[in-house]
Amino acid sequence: MHMLNLGILAHVDAGKTSLTERLLHAAGVIDEIGSVDAGSTRTDSLALERQRGITIKSAVVSFPLDGVTVNLIDTPGHPDFIAEVERVLGVLDGVVLVVSAVEGVQAQTRVLMRTLRRLGIPTLLFVNKIDRRGARYEDVLRSAAERLAVPTVPMGTATGLGTPGARFVPALGPAALEALADRDDTLLSAYVEGTVTDDLLRAALVAQTRQALVHPVYAGSAVTGAGTDALLAGIRELLPPADGDPGGPVSGTVFKVERGPAGEKIAYARMFTGTLRVRDRIPFGEPGTEGKVTAISVFDHGTDVVRDEVPAGRIARLWGLADVRIGDALGAPRGAGGHFFSPPTLETVVLPGPDVDRRDLHLALTRLAEQDPLIGLRHDEVRQEISVSLYGEVQKEVVQATLADEYGLDVGFRETTPLCVERPAGTGAAVEFNKKDPNPFLATVGLRVDPAPVGAGVAFRLEVELGSMPYAFFKAVEDTVRETLGQGLYGWRVTDCTVTLTHCGYSPRQSHAHQGFDKSMSSTGADFRGLTPLVLVEALRRAGTRVHEPMHRFRIEAPADTLGALLPVLAAAGAVTRTTETRRSLCVLHGTVPAARVHGLEQRLPGLTRGEGELESAFDHYAPVRNGAVPRRPRTDHNPLNRREYLLNVTRRVGG
């Protein structure tokens, strides 16, 4: 049986989950359609999802479709949960992108389509809610072509818009022929000669859709079921089935991790090649890491079924991989990975309630971070605080509710702040020599810090011979350099620099007759790990660092007559408008704004634009902080900026 791993994507509230329910009902998997409002849908299993009527975690459910087993993945639509969408994209064969017939193309629709186009994922569009008052079809088609900037193929017409009797009538019209002929020379020749046949047109449609060259557009209503039969037929015919050789080397990707009733890890994985079996030992994640698969279940007819193996093309739940993380490759890696969306740019401190045990909170947050690798945890042992990085305020509410519902922990948060970075302003070098005051460590370390191009990250280089001391000491220096750069002169992560080891030295292993190793006279890795932060921060002091804050690019669409009220607010928020264009009665602004001000703009925009304004924003770059005091971040290490304090904590003795 053929397999198809299908994603359902959309802007929040466009009807993804309702469409999922309708497709499952049409396929005979469920007898009764669940309601988002009533909290009875199959894929929204979290209590908070049912309460708020939004999807937070991706969910997998399977149904048969004319000889094809479809694994349907319902994904979040709110931009705060874009990390969930990111993980799913890498395992999909095709996508249905849902657009509301009432609201039309929205900000998140554009973000998703840009990513789908970049990844070349075949995509069908479904214009939902044609039965709602204010529904439009032709306007949405034009908007999709204009605002999504993709070639579309109308797959029929919509009648009775805005009424319970609204219907979708499948038909390929002249617009379809024109769109397809532009990309198919054979079809174009037949068009010119007047010899186009339905078979030729259909073959071109299938080929171009599977290559993501065109995007067929269907319409209907998930509530009434209108148009869903046509959509199912399109899914079956136009989207490519999963490929992969079941007899090849085992290769898969983990896109979701959850905990079972006993606290065990369960990994959701898509297999691309090979066949994975129970009791197989499989390498995953970092080199040298492997685990034994103790159980497997695959998705079939709306549920998951225990199996002894999972072949290429399928999605499975795997038990036994205790150290597995989201994004890990199983078996042979498929190539370079990486994020499709930007990392979080905001941070907040979690404040435990009066009866919350900090150890329980630490464990709960660690498990949440396992399920969402783009949520970073930062532990401040001195202040006994934990910070989490986030995409937005809604995500903060979800973390709060999840801790309360699943772990019984009552927490609050401090005000959300932007996550800044530091970059070296120049070049700086420092060195401390073994057995020379004020160095209390049995090690010589010299480091030079040089600025690197934006986006280069951190590189570690050697200007000394690799054989001049044991490799373990080099490794200790490099690992400590990377760890120390997590907190620069102002407490932010230091990036875009090259750190070069310029000096090194050590005390060889010393021992006494008939006795063991004399640690007090011999260098150990601890000496290099202890000295490196002092040398590195001194080099950073001499180089100087500049704090850069995250900047978002924005697109605001608003009535032209509201610009007088909007522009001063943008200026006060530190936004820089790059371009302005007018489209009839609307004005579209493009520019950049500090990430810290985006939430405030989102709150004020409806009042400034009579509720008609639309803001789309995403991380763009880091820019030097220019206004006000340079933001600082409390340190969570032993503070090598204060030598006396550092040595007291690290060695319990003071040198110099």
Coordinates of all heavy atoms in Angstrom, one line a residue, residues 232-297:
L232 N -10.2 15.6 -1.2 CA -9.6 14.2 -1.0 C -9.2 13.6 -2.3 O -8.1 12.9 -2.4 CB -10.7 13.3 -0.3 CG -10.9 13.5 1.2 CD1 -12.1 12.8 1.6 CD2 -9.7 13.0 1.9
A233 N -9.9 13.8 -3.4 CA -9.5 13.3 -4.7 C -8.2 14.0 -5.1 O -7.4 13.3 -5.7 CB -10.6 13.6 -5.7
G234 N -8.1 15.3 -4.8 CA -6.9 16.0 -5.2 C -5.7 15.5 -4.4 O -4.6 15.3 -4.9
I235 N -5.9 15.2 -3.1 CA -4.8 14.7 -2.3 C -4.3 13.3 -2.9 O -3.1 13.1 -3.0 CB -5.3 14.5 -0.8 CG1 -5.5 15.9 -0.2 CG2 -4.3 13.7 0.0 CD1 -6.2 15.8 1.2
R236 N -5.3 12.5 -3.2 CA -5.0 11.2 -3.8 C -4.2 11.2 -5.1 O -3.3 10.5 -5.3 CB -6.3 10.4 -3.9 CG -6.1 9.0 -4.7 CD -5.3 8.0 -3.9 NE -5.1 6.8 -4.5 CZ -4.2 6.5 -5.4 NH1 -3.3 7.5 -5.8 NH2 -4.1 5.3 -6.0
E237 N -4.7 12.1 -6.0 CA -4.2 12.1 -7.3 C -2.9 13.0 -7.5 O -2.0 12.7 -8.2 CB -5.2 12.7 -8.3 CG -4.8 12.8 -9.7 CD -5.8 13.4 -10.6 OE1 -6.8 14.0 -10.1 OE2 -5.7 13.4 -11.9
L238 N -2.9 14.2 -6.8 CA -1.9 15.2 -7.2 C -0.7 15.2 -6.3 O 0.4 15.6 -6.7 CB -2.6 16.6 -7.1 CG -3.8 16.8 -8.0 CD1 -4.3 18.2 -7.8 CD2 -3.4 16.6 -9.4
L239 N -0.8 14.7 -5.0 CA 0.4 14.8 -4.1 C 1.2 13.5 -4.3 O 0.6 12.4 -4.4 CB -0.1 15.0 -2.7 CG -0.7 16.3 -2.4 CD1 -1.1 16.4 -0.9 CD2 0.2 17.5 -2.8
P240 N 2.5 13.6 -4.2 CA 3.4 12.4 -4.4 C 3.4 11.5 -3.3 O 3.4 11.9 -2.1 CB 4.8 13.0 -4.6 CG 4.7 14.3 -3.8 CD 3.3 14.8 -4.0
P241 N 3.3 10.2 -3.5 CA 3.3 9.2 -2.4 C 4.8 9.2 -1.8 O 5.7 9.6 -2.4 CB 3.0 7.9 -3.0 CG 3.4 8.0 -4.5 CD 3.1 9.5 -4.8
A242 N 4.9 8.7 -0.6 CA 6.2 8.6 0.1 C 7.0 7.6 -0.7 O 6.5 6.5 -1.1 CB 6.0 8.1 1.5
D243 N 8.3 7.9 -0.9 CA 9.2 7.0 -1.6 C 10.2 6.5 -0.6 O 10.2 6.9 0.6 CB 9.9 7.6 -2.8 CG 10.6 8.9 -2.4 OD1 10.7 9.2 -1.2 OD2 11.1 9.6 -3.3
G244 N 11.2 5.7 -1.0 CA 12.2 5.2 -0.1 C 12.3 3.7 -0.3 O 11.3 3.0 -0.4
D245 N 13.5 3.2 -0.2 CA 13.7 1.8 -0.4 C 13.7 1.0 1.0 O 14.6 1.3 1.8 CB 15.1 1.6 -1.0 CG 15.5 0.1 -1.2 OD1 14.6 -0.8 -1.0 OD2 16.6 -0.2 -1.6
P246 N 12.7 0.2 1.2 CA 12.7 -0.5 2.5 C 13.9 -1.4 2.7 O 14.2 -1.8 3.9 CB 11.4 -1.4 2.4 CG 10.6 -0.7 1.3 CD 11.6 -0.2 0.4
G247 N 14.6 -1.8 1.6 CA 15.7 -2.7 1.8 C 17.0 -1.9 1.9 O 18.1 -2.6 2.0
G248 N 17.0 -0.6 1.9 CA 18.2 0.2 1.9 C 18.7 0.4 3.4 O 18.1 -0.2 4.3
P249 N 19.7 1.2 3.5 CA 20.2 1.5 4.9 C 19.2 2.3 5.7 O 18.4 3.1 5.2 CB 21.5 2.3 4.7 CG 21.3 2.9 3.3 CD 20.5 1.9 2.5
V250 N 19.1 1.9 7.0 CA 18.1 2.6 7.8 C 18.4 4.1 8.0 O 19.5 4.5 8.3 CB 18.0 1.9 9.2 CG1 17.1 2.7 10.2 CG2 17.6 0.5 9.1
S251 N 17.4 4.9 7.7 CA 17.6 6.4 7.8 C 16.2 7.0 8.2 O 15.2 6.7 7.5 CB 18.1 7.0 6.5 OG 18.2 8.4 6.6
G252 N 16.2 7.8 9.2 CA 14.9 8.4 9.6 C 15.2 9.7 10.4 O 16.3 10.0 10.6
T253 N 14.1 10.4 10.7 CA 14.3 11.6 11.5 C 13.2 11.7 12.6 O 12.0 11.4 12.3 CB 14.1 12.9 10.5 OG1 15.1 12.9 9.6 CG2 14.1 14.2 11.3
V254 N 13.6 12.1 13.8 CA 12.7 12.3 14.9 C 12.2 13.7 14.9 O 12.9 14.6 14.9 CB 13.4 12.0 16.2 CG1 12.5 12.3 17.4 CG2 13.9 10.6 16.3
F255 N 10.8 13.8 14.8 CA 10.2 15.2 14.7 C 9.4 15.5 16.0 O 8.9 16.6 16.1 CB 9.4 15.3 13.5 CG 8.2 14.5 13.4 CD1 6.9 15.0 13.9 CD2 8.2 13.2 12.9 CE1 5.8 14.2 13.8 CE2 7.1 12.4 12.8 CZ 5.9 12.9 13.3
K256 N 9.2 14.6 16.9 CA 8.5 14.9 18.1 C 8.9 13.9 19.2 O 9.1 12.7 18.9 CB 7.0 14.7 17.8 CG 6.0 15.0 19.0 CD 4.6 14.9 18.6 CE 3.7 15.1 19.8 NZ 2.2 15.1 19.4
V257 N 8.9 14.3 20.4 CA 9.2 13.5 21.5 C 8.2 13.8 22.6 O 7.9 14.9 22.9 CB 10.6 13.7 22.1 CG1 10.8 13.0 23.4 CG2 11.7 13.3 21.1
E258 N 7.6 12.7 23.2 CA 6.7 12.9 24.3 C 7.0 11.9 25.4 O 7.8 10.9 25.2 CB 5.3 12.8 23.8 CG 4.9 11.4 23.4 CD 3.4 11.3 22.9 OE1 2.9 12.3 22.6 OE2 2.9 10.2 22.7
R259 N 6.4 12.1 26.6 CA 6.6 11.1 27.7 C 5.4 10.2 27.8 O 4.3 10.7 27.7 CB 6.8 11.9 29.0 CG 8.2 12.6 29.0 CD 9.3 11.8 29.5 NE 10.6 12.5 29.5 CZ 11.7 12.0 30.0 NH1 11.7 10.8 30.5 NH2 12.8 12.7 29.9
G260 N 5.6 9.0 28.1 CA 4.5 8.0 28.3 C 4.0 8.1 29.7 O 4.6 8.8 30.6
P261 N 3.1 7.2 30.1 CA 2.5 7.2 31.4 C 3.5 6.9 32.5 O 3.4 7.4 33.6 CB 1.4 6.1 31.4 CG 1.1 6.0 29.9 CD 2.4 6.3 29.2
A262 N 4.5 6.2 32.2 CA 5.6 5.8 33.2 C 6.8 6.7 33.1 O 7.8 6.5 33.7 CB 6.0 4.4 33.0
G263 N 6.6 7.8 32.3 CA 7.7 8.8 32.2 C 8.7 8.4 31.1 O 9.8 9.1 30.9
E264 N 8.5 7.3 30.4 CA 9.4 6.9 29.3 C 9.3 7.8 28.1 O 8.2 8.3 27.8 CB 9.1 5.4 28.9 CG 7.9 5.2 28.1 CD 6.6 5.1 28.8 OE1 6.6 5.6 30.0 OE2 5.6 4.6 28.2
K265 N 10.4 7.9 27.4 CA 10.4 8.7 26.2 C 9.8 7.9 25.0 O 10.1 6.8 24.8 CB 11.8 9.2 25.8 CG 12.3 10.5 26.5 CD 13.6 10.9 25.9 CE 14.1 12.2 26.5 NZ 15.4 12.6 25.9
I266 N 9.0 8.6 24.2 CA 8.4 8.0 23.0 C 8.8 9.0 21.9 O 8.5 10.2 21.9 CB 6.9 7.9 23.1 CG1 6.5 7.1 24.3 CG2 6.4 7.2 21.8 CD1 5.0 7.0 24.6
A267 N 9.5 8.5 20.9 CA 9.9 9.3 19.7 C 9.0 9.1 18.5 O 8.8 7.9 18.2 CB 11.4 8.9 19.4
Y268 N 8.6 10.1 17.9 CA 7.9 10.1 16.7 C 8.9 10.3 15.5 O 9.6 11.3 15.5 CB 6.8 11.2 16.5 CG 5.6 11.0 17.4 CD1 5.7 11.0 18.8 CD2 4.3 10.8 16.8 CE1 4.5 10.8 19.6 CE2 3.2 10.7 17.6 CZ 3.3 10.7 19.0 OH 2.2 10.5 19.7
A269 N 9.0 9.3 14.6 CA 10.0 9.3 13.6 C 9.4 9.0 12.2 O 8.5 8.2 12.1 CB 11.1 8.3 13.9
R270 N 9.9 9.7 11.2 CA 9.6 9.3 9.8 C 10.8 8.5 9.3 O 11.9 9.0 9.3 CB 9.4 10.6 9.0 CG 9.6 10.5 7.5 CD 8.4 9.8 6.8 NE 8.7 9.5 5.4 CZ 8.5 10.3 4.3 NH1 7.9 11.4 4.5 NH2 8.7 9.9 3.1
M271 N 10.5 7.4 8.7 CA 11.5 6.6 8.1 C 11.6 6.9 6.6 O 10.6 6.9 5.9 CB 11.2 5.1 8.3 CG 11.1 4.6 9.7 SD 12.5 5.1 10.7 CE 13.8 4.2 9.9
F272 N 12.8 7.2 6.1 CA 13.0 7.6 4.7 C 13.5 6.4 3.9 O 13.1 6.2 2.8 CB 14.0 8.7 4.6 CG 13.4 10.0 5.2 CD1 13.7 10.4 6.5 CD2 12.5 10.8 4.4 CE1 13.1 11.6 7.0 CE2 12.0 11.9 4.9 CZ 12.3 12.3 6.2
T273 N 14.4 5.6 4.5 CA 14.9 4.4 3.8 C 15.1 3.3 4.8 O 15.2 3.6 6.0 CB 16.2 4.6 3.0 OG1 17.2 5.0 4.0 CG2 16.1 5.7 2.0
G274 N 15.2 2.1 4.4 CA 15.4 0.9 5.2 C 14.2 0.5 6.0 O 13.1 1.0 5.9
T275 N 14.4 -0.5 6.9 CA 13.3 -1.0 7.8 C 13.9 -1.1 9.2 O 14.9 -1.8 9.4 CB 12.8 -2.4 7.3 OG1 12.3 -2.2 5.9 CG2 11.7 -2.9 8.2
L276 N 13.2 -0.5 10.1 CA 13.6 -0.5 11.5 C 12.8 -1.6 12.3 O 11.6 -1.5 12.2 CB 13.5 0.8 12.2 CG 14.0 1.0 13.6 CD1 15.5 0.7 13.7 CD2 13.7 2.4 14.1
R277 N 13.4 -2.4 13.0 CA 12.7 -3.5 13.7 C 12.9 -3.5 15.2 O 13.9 -2.9 15.7 CB 13.2 -4.9 13.2 CG 13.0 -5.1 11.7 CD 13.6 -6.4 11.2 NE 13.2 -6.6 9.8 CZ 13.8 -6.1 8.8 NH1 14.9 -5.3 9.0 NH2 13.4 -6.4 7.5
V278 N 12.0 -4.1 15.9 CA 12.1 -4.2 17.4 C 13.4 -5.0 17.7 O 13.7 -5.9 17.0 CB 10.9 -4.9 18.0 CG1 11.1 -5.1 19.5 CG2 9.6 -4.0 17.7
R279 N 14.1 -4.5 18.7 CA 15.4 -5.1 19.2 C 16.5 -4.6 18.4 O 17.7 -5.0 18.6 CB 15.3 -6.6 19.3 CG 14.4 -7.1 20.5 CD 14.4 -8.6 20.6 NE 13.9 -9.3 19.5 CZ 12.6 -9.5 19.3 NH1 11.7 -9.0 20.1 NH2 12.2 -10.1 18.2
D280 N 16.3 -3.9 17.3 CA 17.5 -3.3 16.5 C 18.2 -2.3 17.4 O 17.5 -1.5 18.1 CB 17.0 -2.6 15.3 CG 16.7 -3.6 14.1 OD1 17.0 -4.8 14.3 OD2 16.2 -3.2 13.1
R281 N 19.5 -2.3 17.3 CA 20.3 -1.2 17.9 C 20.5 -0.1 16.8 O 21.0 -0.5 15.7 CB 21.6 -1.6 18.5 CG 21.4 -2.6 19.6 CD 22.7 -2.8 20.4 NE 23.1 -1.5 21.1 CZ 22.6 -1.2 22.3 NH1 21.7 -1.9 22.9 NH2 22.9 0.0 22.9
I282 N 20.2 1.1 17.1 CA 20.2 2.1 16.0 C 21.0 3.3 16.5 O 20.8 3.8 17.6 CB 18.8 2.6 15.6 CG1 18.8 3.6 14.5 CG2 18.0 3.1 16.8 CD1 19.0 3.0 13.2
P283 N 22.0 3.8 15.7 CA 22.7 5.1 16.1 C 21.8 6.3 15.9 O 21.0 6.3 15.0 CB 23.9 5.1 15.2 CG 23.5 4.3 14.0 CD 22.5 3.2 14.5
F284 N 21.9 7.3 16.7 CA 21.1 8.5 16.6 C 21.8 9.6 17.2 O 22.7 9.5 18.1 CB 19.7 8.3 17.2 CG 19.7 8.0 18.6 CD1 19.7 9.1 19.6 CD2 19.6 6.7 19.1 CE1 19.7 8.8 20.9 CE2 19.6 6.5 20.5 CZ 19.6 7.5 21.4
G285 N 21.5 10.9 16.8 CA 22.0 12.1 17.4 C 23.5 12.2 17.2 O 24.1 12.0 16.2
E286 N 24.2 12.5 18.4 CA 25.6 12.7 18.3 C 26.4 11.4 18.0 O 25.9 10.3 18.3 CB 26.1 13.2 19.7 CG 25.5 14.5 20.1 CD 25.9 15.7 19.3 OE1 27.1 15.6 18.7 OE2 25.2 16.6 19.1
P287 N 27.5 11.5 17.3 CA 28.3 10.3 17.0 C 28.6 9.5 18.2 O 28.9 10.1 19.3 CB 29.6 10.9 16.4 CG 29.2 12.3 15.9 CD 28.1 12.8 16.8
G288 N 28.5 8.2 18.1 CA 28.7 7.3 19.2 C 27.5 7.0 20.1 O 27.6 6.1 21.0
T289 N 26.4 7.7 19.9 CA 25.2 7.5 20.6 C 24.3 6.5 19.9 O 24.1 6.6 18.7 CB 24.4 8.8 20.8 OG1 25.2 9.7 21.4 CG2 23.2 8.5 21.7
E290 N 23.8 5.5 20.6 CA 22.9 4.5 20.0 C 22.0 4.0 21.1 O 22.2 4.1 22.3 CB 23.6 3.4 19.3 CG 24.4 2.5 20.2 CD 25.0 1.3 19.5 OE1 25.3 1.3 18.3 OE2 25.2 0.2 20.2
G291 N 20.9 3.3 20.6 CA 19.9 2.8 21.6 C 19.3 1.6 20.9 O 19.3 1.4 19.7
K292 N 18.6 0.8 21.8 CA 17.9 -0.4 21.3 C 16.4 -0.1 21.3 O 15.8 0.3 22.3 CB 18.2 -1.6 22.3 CG 17.5 -2.9 21.9 CD 17.9 -4.0 22.9 CE 17.2 -5.3 22.5 NZ 17.6 -6.4 23.5
V293 N 15.8 -0.3 20.2 CA 14.3 -0.1 20.0 C 13.6 -1.3 20.7 O 13.8 -2.4 20.4 CB 13.9 -0.1 18.5 CG1 12.4 0.1 18.4 CG2 14.7 1.1 17.8
T294 N 12.8 -0.9 21.7 CA 12.1 -1.9 22.5 C 10.6 -2.2 22.1 O 10.0 -3.2 22.4 CB 12.1 -1.6 24.0 OG1 11.5 -0.3 24.2 CG2 13.5 -1.5 24.5
A295 N 10.1 -1.2 21.4 CA 8.7 -1.3 20.9 C 8.5 -0.3 19.8 O 9.1 0.7 19.7 CB 7.7 -1.1 22.0
I296 N 7.5 -0.7 18.9 CA 7.2 0.2 17.7 C 5.7 0.1 17.5 O 5.0 -0.9 17.7 CB 7.8 -0.4 16.4 CG1 9.4 -0.3 16.5 CG2 7.3 0.4 15.2 CD1 10.1 -0.9 15.3
S297 N 5.1 1.3 17.2 CA 3.7 1.3 16.8 C 3.6 2.3 15.6 O 4.4 3.2 15.5 CB 2.8 1.8 17.9 OG 3.0 3.2 18.2

